[in-house]
Amino acid sequence: MTGGGLAGHPDPLQLADRCAAGDLAGAVEAAERIVGLGPGLTPSGDDILSGLLVSLRLVGGALREGGTAGWLADWLGAAVTADAGTRTTALAATLLHCANEGGAGAEVAAVLRCVAGHESSAPAVRRLLAVGHTSGADLAWGVLAGCRATLALAGRATGESRAAS
């Protein structure tokens, strides 16, 4: 369950589940429903989407079988940035566009370095959670959902390539 500004809302959970399952249509529908949703200068839904997109791009790009995560990020990114300028704040639209290109703030980048085993996790996670009123928790939730989806999709691709051998 999300711990930030959309706690208890079903769409972030549905988005995470659809991404991990490789359900493109379901993921895009859930993503489009949370653009601009929630409190904050960067609304919670946008923070979740930003964390998710950057994780799909960067973690997926680091894995041999991560191509499906990049493909998913391409579609999700196109869907949520297409009209972000009219659906959310200017700052959040910029954040979504940057995340779609694989750009991350220092706190998110530090957590992703933890995922790669290059940094201690506790201090990096504390710094991320301290961002804004709900932004840090929402970004962290999106990063976790993106990493989970990337690993699930890569595992499925590895299984498929073994079965084809």
Side-chain angles (χ1 to χ4, degrees), residues 44 77 89 140:
S44 293
T89 66

mmCIF file with all atom_site columns, all heavy atoms in Angstrom, residues 44 77 89 140:
data_model
loop_
_atom_site.group_PDB
_atom_site.id
_atom_site.type_symbol
_atom_site.label_atom_id
_atom_site.label_alt_id
_atom_site.label_comp_id
_atom_site.label_asym_id
_atom_site.label_entity_id
_atom_site.label_seq_id
_atom_site.pdbx_PDB_ins_code
_atom_site.Cartn_x
_atom_site.Cartn_y
_atom_site.Cartn_z
_atom_site.occupancy
_atom_site.B_iso_or_equiv
_atom_site.pdbx_formal_charge
_atom_site.auth_seq_id
_atom_site.auth_comp_id
_atom_site.auth_asym_id
_atom_site.auth_atom_id
_atom_site.pdbx_PDB_model_num
ATOM 1  N N   . SER A 1 44  ? 1.028  13.691 -5.662  1.00 0.00 ? 44  SER A N   1
ATOM 2  C CA  . SER A 1 44  ? 1.466  12.344 -5.300  1.00 0.00 ? 44  SER A CA  1
ATOM 3  C C   . SER A 1 44  ? 1.493  11.381 -6.474  1.00 0.00 ? 44  SER A C   1
ATOM 4  O O   . SER A 1 44  ? 2.441  10.606 -6.634  1.00 0.00 ? 44  SER A O   1
ATOM 5  C CB  . SER A 1 44  ? 0.562  11.782 -4.195  1.00 0.00 ? 44  SER A CB  1
ATOM 6  O OG  . SER A 1 44  ? 0.744  12.515 -3.008  1.00 0.00 ? 44  SER A OG  1
ATOM 7  N N   . GLY A 1 77  ? 5.533  6.345  -20.332 1.00 0.00 ? 77  GLY A N   1
ATOM 8  C CA  . GLY A 1 77  ? 6.039  7.710  -20.425 1.00 0.00 ? 77  GLY A CA  1
ATOM 9  C C   . GLY A 1 77  ? 5.301  8.528  -21.461 1.00 0.00 ? 77  GLY A C   1
ATOM 10 O O   . GLY A 1 77  ? 4.949  9.686  -21.225 1.00 0.00 ? 77  GLY A O   1
ATOM 11 N N   . THR A 1 89  ? 0.710  20.235 -12.349 1.00 0.00 ? 89  THR A N   1
ATOM 12 C CA  . THR A 1 89  ? 1.474  21.480 -12.202 1.00 0.00 ? 89  THR A CA  1
ATOM 13 C C   . THR A 1 89  ? 2.651  21.491 -13.187 1.00 0.00 ? 89  THR A C   1
ATOM 14 O O   . THR A 1 89  ? 3.090  20.439 -13.659 1.00 0.00 ? 89  THR A O   1
ATOM 15 C CB  . THR A 1 89  ? 2.023  21.614 -10.768 1.00 0.00 ? 89  THR A CB  1
ATOM 16 O OG1 . THR A 1 89  ? 2.996  20.584 -10.535 1.00 0.00 ? 89  THR A OG1 1
ATOM 17 C CG2 . THR A 1 89  ? 0.902  21.523 -9.733  1.00 0.00 ? 89  THR A CG2 1
ATOM 18 N N   . ALA A 1 140 ? 9.553  7.069  -3.467  1.00 0.00 ? 140 ALA A N   1
ATOM 19 C CA  . ALA A 1 140 ? 10.078 5.771  -3.011  1.00 0.00 ? 140 ALA A CA  1
ATOM 20 C C   . ALA A 1 140 ? 9.138  4.643  -3.405  1.00 0.00 ? 140 ALA A C   1
ATOM 21 O O   . ALA A 1 140 ? 9.578  3.571  -3.841  1.00 0.00 ? 140 ALA A O   1
ATOM 22 C CB  . ALA A 1 140 ? 10.296 5.791  -1.501  1.00 0.00 ? 140 ALA A CB  1
#
